[in-house]
Amino acid sequence: MRDLRKKILLESGKTQSRKARSRPDSNFGSTTQSPASSPGGSRQGSRAPSRYASEDELSDSDLNDSLTESVMASEDGDDVVGDWTDRLKDCINEILDRKRSSVQGREKYLAGFVHLTRHHFAEALVEDHLNELVPAILRSIRGGRNTDETVAALKAIQMVAITTQSDSIYDQAYSILKSACESSGEEAVKVEAIKAMGVVTMFGGGMDATAEELMDYLQEIVESDGHSIEAADNGPVVTTALTVWGFVASHLDDLEQQSEEALEAFTDQLDSSDADVQVAAGTNIALIFEAIRSYNEQAEEEHDQRQQELREEARLNKREFKAEAYNPFDLQHNQHRLVQRMTELAGESSRGVSKKDRRQLHAQFNSILTSLELGKGPGYSKAGRVARESDRNGARVYDSEKVFQELGYRENIRGDNGQTLTIDSWSLSIRVQFLKKTLGGGFPIHWSHNPAIQESFDTA
C-alpha cells in the first residue's frame, strides 16, 4: 500500500512542494533525497537540521505538500527533497567551470550557492574548495556580464566569509569590492558591495588591520549623501553605509576616536527625507553613547581601584594621600539639539510621511530617548506593576513591602535549537539585525551551529 501511494505521489509530481520547487537550488543537482541532518563527514558542530526556513509564511497547499513529504520520509525511510550537499557540490562545480557556463547559468548557480549556504552550515564542504572558489566568485564580481550575476556573486562572497572565517578572503576581495562599489552605476551592486566589504572585514581577516579605515570610508559616504561613490542622495546606499558602519563599530573596544566626527555626520542625517536613513543614523548615535557610557564606567572603576592602591601605599609609607582627579570622556557635541531632534522624530506626525514610516520612527526614537535617559539598551520599558499577593503564593503584601517591577527588556530571539537571547544592548541589537538580513531564513541555523555567529553575540 505504501509503495502504491508513493508511486502515485511521484507520478503526480507532489513529492516536492511549490515553495521547494521555487528555491534557487531546486532545478539542478542530484535527485537524491535530503537527510534530516548534515552528513557524517561534516565537522562536529555543523550538523544543522536540513530545513529551508523562509521569510514568507507557508500557504495551506504548501503545508499539505510538506506534510506529504514528511509522511513518506518517516514511513518509507526515504527522503524526498534531495541531498543538499550534492546540490551544493553541483553549484560549486558549475561556479568553478566558467568555460562551459553562460551568464544565466552563473546567476543560477551563484544564487543556489547562496541559498544553500544560508540554510545549512557547510563549513567543511566550502573550505575544501576555498582556494578555487574565492577567485571564481571574484571574477563574477569584477567582470559580471549583468547586474544579477554581480549581485549574486557579492552575496556569495559574503556567505563564503561567514561560513569559513578564512583570514585570506579580505586580502583577495576587499579592493575588488571597493572598486565594484565605486564603479558600478547600479544601486543594487553598490548596496551589496558595501555589505560585502563589512562582512569580509569582520569575518574574512580584515578586522584587526582596517576596520577603522572602512568606517572612515563609510562615514564619507554618509557625509556626502552618497556623492563620494556616485550615488547622490540615494537612500538605500546611505542607509547601508550607516548600517555597516554600526555593525563594524559594534565590534570595536574603543570608539572615542571616531565618535565626534561620526556623531556630527549622523546627527545631520536625522534631517534626511528617508525614514530608513533617519532610523539607521539614530541607531548609530545610540551605539556611540552606549560605547562612551561603557568606557566611562570602566574608566571610573579602574580609577577607583587605582585610588585605593595609592591610599594603601600612602598609609604604609606614612605619607599624605593625594587623590588623583577623574575626568570622564565627554562628547563636545550639542546634545540638547540632538535630543530635541530625536524628540521631534519620536512624535512625527507629518502627512508627508507614510503610516509605516511614522510607526518605525516613533518606535525607534522613543527607544533611543529612553536609552539615553536611563542608560539602558534598546526596547527597555519603564512600565510595570506593583507586586501582588499571587507573587507571594497568596501571602498578603503590605504597603511597606510593595515593590514596583519594571518590564525591562522585551525583545528576544530564538535559535534553531531552542536557545533564546535577550537584546539588552545596542551593540547586540545591531549585530543581530545585520546578520538577520545577511543570512535571511538561515539565521537560526547559523546562530545554532556557526561558531563565528555565536562568538559575535557572546562578545556584544
Side-chain angles (χ1 to χ4, degrees):
M1 181 67 181
R2 286 181 303 184
D3 292 339
L4 178 60
R5 181 170 67 252
K6 181 176 178 180
K7 181 179 179 181
I8 293 172
L9 286 168
L10 285 168
E11 291 175 350
S12 65
K14 291 186 177 180
T15 60
Q16 192 179 44
S17 70
R18 286 192 298 277
K19 185 170 287 294
R21 291 194 294 271
S22 68
R23 290 196 302 267
D25 63 283
S26 62
N27 297 319
F28 54 79
S30 172
T31 58
T32 57
Q33 290 123 359
S34 177
S37 61
S38 301
S42 201
R43 294 185 182 182
Q44 187 172 0
S46 65
R47 303 175 187 274
S50 177
R51 69 180 185 86
Y52 287 89
S54 173
E55 290 78 12
D56 303 315
E57 293 296 326
L58 287 171
S59 66
D60 290 340
S61 58
D62 287 330
L63 183 58
N64 289 335
D65 287 346
S66 297
L67 289 172
T68 301
E69 294 168 9
S70 299
V71 170
M72 288 181 62
S74 62
E75 290 187 356
D76 298 327
D78 293 331
D79 301 307
V80 180
V81 180
D83 188 338
W84 69 267
T85 59
D86 286 344
R87 296 200 300 277
L88 181 54
K89 289 175 184 176
D90 289 338
C91 285
I92 293 172
N93 290 334
E94 292 295 333
I95 292 170
L96 297 180
D97 189 4
R98 293 182 65 87
K99 291 183 179 180
R100 294 192 304 110
S101 65
S102 64
V103 177
Q104 293 75 18
R106 288 194 295 273
E107 292 172 21
K108 174 182 176 181
Y109 288 104
L110 284 165
F113 175 87
V114 171
H115 181 83
L116 288 164
T117 51
R118 278 178 172 176
H119 291 84
H120 305 277
F121 181 46
E123 180 183 26
L125 183 53
V126 175
E127 277 190 345
D128 286 344
H129 300 85
L130 187 64
N131 292 336
E132 299 171 287
L133 188 57
V134 171
I137 293 173
L138 293 178
R139 280 197 292 273
S140 285
I141 295 174
R142 187 171 50 234
R145 296 294 182 88
N146 60 29
T147 299
D148 289 340
E149 179 186 352
T150 305
V151 169
L154 287 165
K155 292 180 179 180
I157 198 66
Q158 294 175 55
M159 289 313 305
V160 172
I162 290 174
T163 299
T164 66
Q165 305 96 54
S166 170
D167 290 342
S168 67
I169 296 175
Y170 175 87
D171 290 337
Q172 297 179 71
Y174 188 82
S175 61
I176 295 173
L177 299 175
K178 188 175 181 181
S179 177
C181 176
E182 295 173 348
S183 63
S184 175
E186 298 293 334
E187 175 187 293
V189 172
K190 289 183 182 293
V191 166
E192 284 303 326
I194 291 171
K195 286 174 58 181
M197 291 166 70
V199 170
V200 301
T201 296
M202 296 305 309
F203 298 103
M207 182 60 187
D208 294 336
T210 57
E212 294 180 6
E213 177 184 326
L214 173 59
M215 290 168 64
D216 290 341
Y217 179 76
L218 297 171
Q219 185 178 318
E220 185 180 354
I221 295 174
V222 174
E223 289 174 335
S224 69
D225 289 322
H227 283 77
S228 64
I229 57 169
E230 305 297 328
D233 301 319
N234 187 300
V237 169
V238 175
T239 299
T240 304
L242 285 162
T243 301
V244 176
W245 189 97
F247 179 68
V248 175
S250 73
H251 289 83
L252 297 183
D253 295 329
D254 184 356
L255 273 183
E256 288 70 51
Q257 294 182 354
Q258 290 82 16
S259 58
E260 289 288 355
E261 291 184 5
L263 193 58
E264 188 68 34
F266 301 156
T267 301
D268 288 343
Q269 289 299 338
L270 295 179
D271 295 326
S272 171
S273 59
D274 189 306
D276 290 333
V277 170
Q278 292 173 306
V279 167
T283 301
N284 284 352
I285 290 169
L287 174 68
I288 290 173
F289 277 97
E290 178 179 81
I292 298 301
R293 184 170 64 247
S294 177
Y295 172 84
N296 283 337
E297 289 173 355
Q298 183 176 350
E300 184 176 8
E301 183 178 332
E302 292 174 354
H303 174 266
D304 291 344
Q305 184 177 350
R306 174 63 177 163
Q307 297 311 290
Q308 185 176 350
E309 292 171 354
L310 291 174
R311 186 179 289 106
E312 181 63 18
E313 183 180 335
R315 185 187 68 79
L316 292 174
N317 294 313
K318 297 181 179 180
R319 65 170 183 259
E320 182 182 359
F321 166 68
K322 293 183 179 180
E324 295 178 348
Y326 168 64
N327 298 311
F329 183 86
D330 188 24
L331 290 168
Q332 304 300 312
H333 189 77
N334 189 342
Q335 296 185 31
H336 175 71
R337 172 202 164 201
L338 179 61
V339 172
Q340 184 179 34
R341 181 64 182 125
M342 286 185 168
T343 303
E344 292 171 357
L345 291 169
E348 177 64 65
S349 59
S350 171
R351 291 186 178 180
V353 180
S354 69
K355 289 183 179 180
K356 178 183 177 182
D357 287 345
R358 281 203 299 270
R359 286 196 298 268
Q360 184 184 20
L361 291 171
H362 293 174
Q364 190 72 354
F365 283 99
N366 275 313
S367 177
I368 292 171
L369 288 169
T370 301
S371 175
L372 296 180
E373 176 189 352
L374 302 179
K376 300 289 187 179
Y380 188 88
S381 175
K382 296 185 290 183
R385 61 179 177 79
V386 176
R388 299 171 299 192
E389 292 183 8
S390 59
D391 297 326
R392 302 260 187 109
N393 296 321
R396 183 175 179 180
V397 179
Y398 296 93
D399 290 342
S400 60
E401 297 176 329
K402 288 182 178 179
V403 178
F404 182 79
Q405 298 175 334
E406 293 182 340
L407 294 177
Y409 296 110
R410 294 168 296 169
E411 183 180 354
N412 299 284
I413 58 172
R414 185 177 297 275
D416 187 63
N417 57 8
Q419 79 273 38
T420 58
L421 184 65
T422 299
I423 308 299
D424 58 1
S425 72
W426 289 102
S427 174
L428 179 58
S429 177
I430 286 170
R431 297 183 197 188
V432 167
Q433 294 307 317
F434 180 84
L435 290 168
K436 272 187 172 182
K437 285 188 175 182
T438 303
L439 296 168
F443 172 79
I445 292 287
H446 278 266
W447 178 23
S448 299
H449 302 280
N450 188 334
I453 305 303
Q454 295 168 0
E455 182 180 358
S456 180
F457 294 165
D458 289 343
T459 59

